[in-house]
């Protein structure tokens, strides 16, 4: 159980919620969030860690109320409780050297904590961030505290802005069209790319096999073995 | 020391309490063992096994519905041999009673599977003739009394383990199937498996699942499952293990009062991984409040 510290819109149809008391995870991991005791909606909703403030013991999520579960979250007030089960999933591998982060829409959320951890692991490294939005940008300022460059694209294809030929590690999270475009570009440039996948989930812990995908090494669970994969391994699942 | 009021015997196996993790919702125990004290459970029924394993169904596999969910996993599993060599001993070490859930596509699969399971240290074989999500076999065996009795009798002849037959709520005459399984030698019955349901994506104008139909579970099915457990428990003398939408100790008590000696919990574990521990604690409290020496005293009081 975690306590809601803040829960407010940061853009049209986008909310940011900070909670206290959830176990601290790392970039790329997620929580199954659920209104305590609710039987309808019943299942937790997978929501990525957007930022962790370890000193305060706070975890921040950025989410889009698109259905019944997430709409319920948007109605929660500071001081109320939320069930935050997790952190689940493998998280992003923190590679050395230059890094390029690509986020599309709500997929920008997990990239923020990644930028933070990459910066912390190496204050001198170069971090380029590319953010793509359909209509309105968010989190741009927050990224600026950790990245060397933040490029945003509204209404276009963010992957077109990215040079995949750098000697760098690429990380991407966003809609499938974006991930497919990134994979194609990474193929052409022979780049190293990690993608975070999304699947409908029931348990979030690897027990129900509701979220498995075909990989080069047999079937894997997006919730437990992922959600972050080397794109080459999950080419057919993107 | 006062004796444990929750303990019971099922198929000659002693269980510390009547709360069992339902097949397909608990893997083989690994994942939830990281999150909760699984040694406190009464039993664990492992993921449904098929002889040679399966990659399961394509497309969407889980979809939430009002107070429930539809699944079309399609028995993705590593196969009986893998279970025998890699999972059975792990499950045994966890502590709770070990139940292997065996599905199949044809009679030979079931019999060969049951034969291989003779090499595993399990307590009960749960014969799954009720999976709605596999194209061939699966639920087909559980739809009619004749086919259900036939496969039960043959598996009984092969298996050295007690056999608990898991029934499908989709059978046109569930009570007749239950009686037939009892006559064929089943040691116990478990019910219900999931109800065949459907979901449609109105925007895309298509069925949500590639198999079109999928299995419904969770609180939404509880009243129907309860009625079925009540009917079956009154029709047979072998023990009945009840399930379907249980979320709380109160729900578990309903199934016990309806005639089940134990319960299984599935979907609720997804929503709240610790639900079964809450249920066990709630049942203990109930015994204390009601002054029961053993919870089994309320079994079938209705
Ligand atoms: C690993 C992971 C991380 C995620 N991180 C975020 C995040 O940080 N912010 C955010 O806004 N969203 C995130 N999502 C998507 C988010 O989980 C869904 O938008 C949310 O579950 C929708 O629930 P709902 O009740 O509002 O919608 P409904 O459509 O009513 O949901 C019905 C069911 O479908 C599932 N579902 C619907 N859409 C999705 C989807 N896109 N992905 C997975 N399940 C879905 C729900 O979980 C629920 O079980 C993430 C998804 C995954 C898999
Ligand atoms: C994702 C999922 C997978 C399941 N897999 C199996 C299975 O492999 N074998 C089986 O006998 N039942 C399987 N079931 C059925 C459950 O064991 C149980 O009978 C059913 O879900 C009703 O209980 P519940 O409402 O508590 O979930 C599965 C159910 C779900 C939700
Ligand atoms: S959501 Fe259950 S295995 Fe991934």
């Amino acid at each position: 159980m975690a306590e809601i510290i803040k829960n407010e819109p940061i853009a049209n149809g986008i909310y940011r919620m900070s909670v206290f008391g959830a176990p601290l995870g790392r970039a790329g991991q997620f929580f199954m969030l659920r209104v305590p005791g609710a039987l309808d909606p019943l299942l937790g909703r997978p929501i990525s860690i957007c930022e962790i403030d370890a000193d305060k013991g706070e975890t921040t999520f950025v989410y889009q109320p698109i259905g019944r579960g997430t709409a319920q979250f948007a109605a929660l007030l500071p001081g109320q409780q939320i069930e935050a089960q997790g952190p689940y999933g493998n998280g992003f591998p923190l590679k050395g050297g230059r890094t390029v982060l690509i986020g599309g829409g709500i997929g920008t959320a997990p990239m923020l904590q990644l930028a933070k951890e990459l910066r912390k692991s190496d204050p001198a490294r170069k971090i380029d961030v590319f953010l793509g939005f359909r209509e309105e940008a968010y989190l741009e300022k927050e990224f600026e505290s950790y990245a060397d460059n933040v490029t945003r694209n509204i209404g276009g294809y963010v992957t077109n802005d990215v040079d995949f030929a750098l000697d760098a590690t690429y990380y991407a999270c966003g809609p499938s069209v974006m991930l497919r475009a990134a994979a194609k570009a990474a193929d052409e440039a022979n780049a190293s790319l990690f993608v975070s996948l999304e699947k409908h989930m029931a348990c979030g812990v690897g027990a129900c096999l509701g979220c498995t995908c075909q990989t080069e090494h047999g079937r894997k669970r997006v919730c437990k073995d992922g959600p972050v994969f080397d794109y080459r391994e999950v080419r057919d699942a993107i | 020391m006062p004796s444990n009021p929750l303990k019971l015997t099922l198929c000659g196996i002693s269980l510390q309490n009547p709360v069992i993790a339902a097949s397909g919702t608990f893997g083989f125990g690994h994942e939830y063992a990281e999150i909760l004290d699984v040694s406190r459970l009464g039993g664990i029924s492992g993921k449904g096994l098929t002889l040679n394993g399966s990659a399961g169904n394509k497309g969407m596999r889980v979809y939430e519905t009002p107070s429930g969910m539809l699944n079309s996993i399609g028995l993705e599993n590593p196969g009986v041999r893998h279970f025998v060599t890699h999972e059975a001993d792990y499950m045994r070490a966890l502590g709770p009673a070990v139940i292997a859930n065996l599905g199949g596509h044809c009679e030979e699969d079931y019999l060969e599977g049951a034969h291989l399971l003779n090499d595993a240290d399990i307590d009960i074989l749960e014969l799954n003739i009720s999976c709605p999500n596999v194209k061939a076999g699966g639920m087909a065996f559980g739809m009619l009394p004749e086919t259900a009795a036939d496969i039960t009798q043959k598996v009984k002849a092969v298996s050295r383990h007690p056999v608990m037959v898991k029934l499908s709520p989709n059978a046109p005459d569930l009570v007749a199937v239950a009686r037939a399984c009892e006559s064929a030698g089943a040691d116990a019955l478990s019910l219900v498996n999931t109800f065949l349901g459907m979901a449609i994506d109105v925007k895309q104008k298509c069925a949500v699942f590639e198999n079109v139909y999928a299995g419904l579970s969770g609180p939404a099915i509880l009243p129907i499952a309860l009625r079925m457990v009540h009917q079956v428990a009154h029709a047979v003398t072998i023990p009945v293990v009840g399930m379907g939408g249980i979320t709380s100790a109160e729900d578990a008590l309903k199934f016990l009062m309806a005639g089940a000696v134990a319960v299984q919990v599935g979907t609720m574990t997804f929503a709240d991984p610790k639900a079964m521990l809450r249920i066990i604690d709630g049942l203990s409290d109930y015994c204390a409040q009601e002054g029961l020496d053993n919870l089994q005293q309320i079994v079938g009081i209705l």
Side-chain angles (χ1 to χ4, degrees), chain A residues 36-223:
Chain A
L39 294 183
D40 189 30
L42 177 69
L43 303 170
R45 296 323 197 224
I47 302 289
S48 302
I49 295 170
C50 174
E51 200 173 4
I52 298 167
D53 186 331
D55 296 335
K56 290 193 191 157
E58 286 180 18
T59 301
T60 295
F61 305 101
V62 166
Y63 64 97
Q64 208 169 7
I66 55 155
R68 291 189 315 142
T70 46
Q72 245 189 349
F73 300 157
L76 294 172
L77 301 170
Q80 285 185 307
Q81 304 281 310
I82 188 163
E83 235 178 85
Q85 300 157 13
Y88 296 147
N90 58 356
F92 290 108
L94 296 185
K95 298 288 180 185
R98 185 166 186 180
T99 53
V100 179
L101 281 52
I102 310 157
I106 202 70
T108 50
M111 290 299 162
L112 185 61
Q113 178 62 21
L114 177 60
K116 186 170 181 168
E117 288 178 20
L118 289 169
R119 174 56 69 222
K120 196 173 168 207
S121 72
D122 178 359
R125 77 192 319 163
K126 187 135 197 260
I127 303 176
D128 294 310
V129 172
F130 293 86
L131 308 175
F133 302 96
R134 214 173 290 158
E135 284 166 358
E136 189 187 352
Y138 42 87
L139 294 179
E140 232 181 324
K141 273 229 156 50
E142 288 80 348
F143 274 103
E144 278 164 8
S145 353
Y146 311 115
D148 297 290
N149 299 297
V150 180
T151 309
R152 72 142 177 219
N153 183 317
I154 294 185
Y157 290 100
V158 63
T159 43
N160 287 347
D161 304 338
V162 182
D163 177 3
F164 281 89
L166 302 171
D167 180 17
T169 303
Y170 295 78
Y171 300 91
C173 182
S176 326
V177 275
M178 188 199 103
L179 295 183
R180 277 196 291 269
K184 191 160 170 268
D187 268 342
E188 282 160 11
N190 199 19
S192 156
L193 168 70
F194 292 93
V195 294
S196 181
L197 298 186
E198 221 178 74
K199 278 265 192 180
H200 279 235
M201 295 178 174
C203 71
V205 303
C208 75
L209 306 183
C211 70
T212 63
C213 66
Q214 197 55 44
T215 75
E216 266 190 338
H217 309 104
R219 292 199 74 85
K220 289 201 174 176
R221 299 158 300 182
V222 170
C223 68

Side-chain angles (χ1 to χ4, degrees), chain B:
Chain B
M1 205 175 107
S3 76
N4 167 13
L6 297 186
K7 72 167 188 254
L8 71 146
T9 309
L10 174 64
C11 302
I13 307 296
S14 151
L15 272 62
Q16 59 184 340
N17 64 61
V19 180
I20 300 167
S23 176
T25 65
F26 217 73
F28 299 109
H30 300 268
E31 295 79 15
Y32 284 112
E34 292 176 21
I35 300 172
L36 56 117
D37 181 4
V38 297
S39 74
R40 292 190 55 208
L41 302 176
I44 298 173
S45 180
K47 175 64 194 169
L49 302 166
T50 54
L51 181 59
N52 297 313
S54 162
N57 290 338
K58 292 214 174 73
M60 181 81 95
R61 286 186 170 190
V62 289
Y63 181 85
E64 199 179 89
T65 58
S67 287
M69 63 178 280
L70 286 161
N71 89 79
S72 180
I73 308 296
L75 285 185
E76 174 173 346
N77 79 93
V80 177
R81 285 180 192 85
H82 176 95
F83 173 82
V84 172
T85 51
H86 290 95
E87 305 291 355
D89 291 345
Y90 171 81
M91 283 182 78
R92 169 61 71 211
L94 292 175
V98 179
I99 302 173
N101 181 281
L102 178 67
H105 301 285
C106 60
E107 182 183 309
E108 291 70 38
D109 283 8
Y110 277 110
L111 299 185
E112 178 67 15
H115 179 71
L116 290 172
L117 284 172
N118 283 341
D119 289 336
D121 176 24
I122 61 169
D123 293 311
I124 296 172
L125 189 166
E126 185 172 46
L127 182 62
N128 178 4
I129 53 169
S130 47
C131 180
N133 294 322
V134 289
K135 284 229 169 69
M139 188 169 83
F141 286 91
M143 296 306 276
L144 294 173
E146 300 75 35
T147 48
D150 189 53
I151 196 73
T152 300
Q153 187 227 322
K154 286 175 173 152
V155 168
K156 268 301 287 179
V158 170
S159 183
R160 75 175 173 95
H161 305 295
V163 174
M164 173 162 82
V165 183
K166 183 157 179 185
L167 305 180
S168 168
N170 303 305
D173 187 346
L174 179 60
V175 170
V177 173
R179 286 205 177 103
C181 292
E182 178 178 42
S183 306
D187 298 288
L189 300 174
S190 59
L191 67 153
V192 294
N193 207 317
T194 53
F195 288 79
L196 207 54
M198 180 177 185
I200 292 176
D201 183 333
V202 173
K203 259 195 221 145
Q204 310 281 334
K205 298 194 178 71
C206 66
V208 165
F209 295 102
E210 290 213 356
N211 273 0
V212 185
Y213 305 138
L216 182 66
S217 63
I221 69 169
L222 187 142
I224 319 179
L226 188 62
R227 183 262 295 172
M228 290 175 160
V229 166
H230 188 253
Q231 286 177 320
V232 167
H234 280 74
V236 300
T237 56
I238 50 176
V240 169
V241 173
M243 76 196 92
I246 294 173
T247 67
S248 62
E250 190 178 329
D251 290 345
L253 288 167
K254 293 172 195 168
F255 279 85
L256 295 176
M257 290 182 185
V261 301
V263 296
Q264 295 189 11
V265 177
T267 304
M268 191 57 197
T269 299
F270 299 156
D272 175 4
K274 299 202 170 129
M276 283 189 282
L277 302 186
R278 268 197 295 108
I279 292 170
I280 293 166
D281 291 340
L283 293 177
S284 289
D285 293 348
Y286 179 80
C287 289
Q289 280 156 20
E290 297 283 314
L292 296 176
D293 298 330
N294 192 287
L295 186 60
Q296 293 294 311
Q297 289 168 256
I298 62 144
V299 168
I301 59 171
L302 289 175

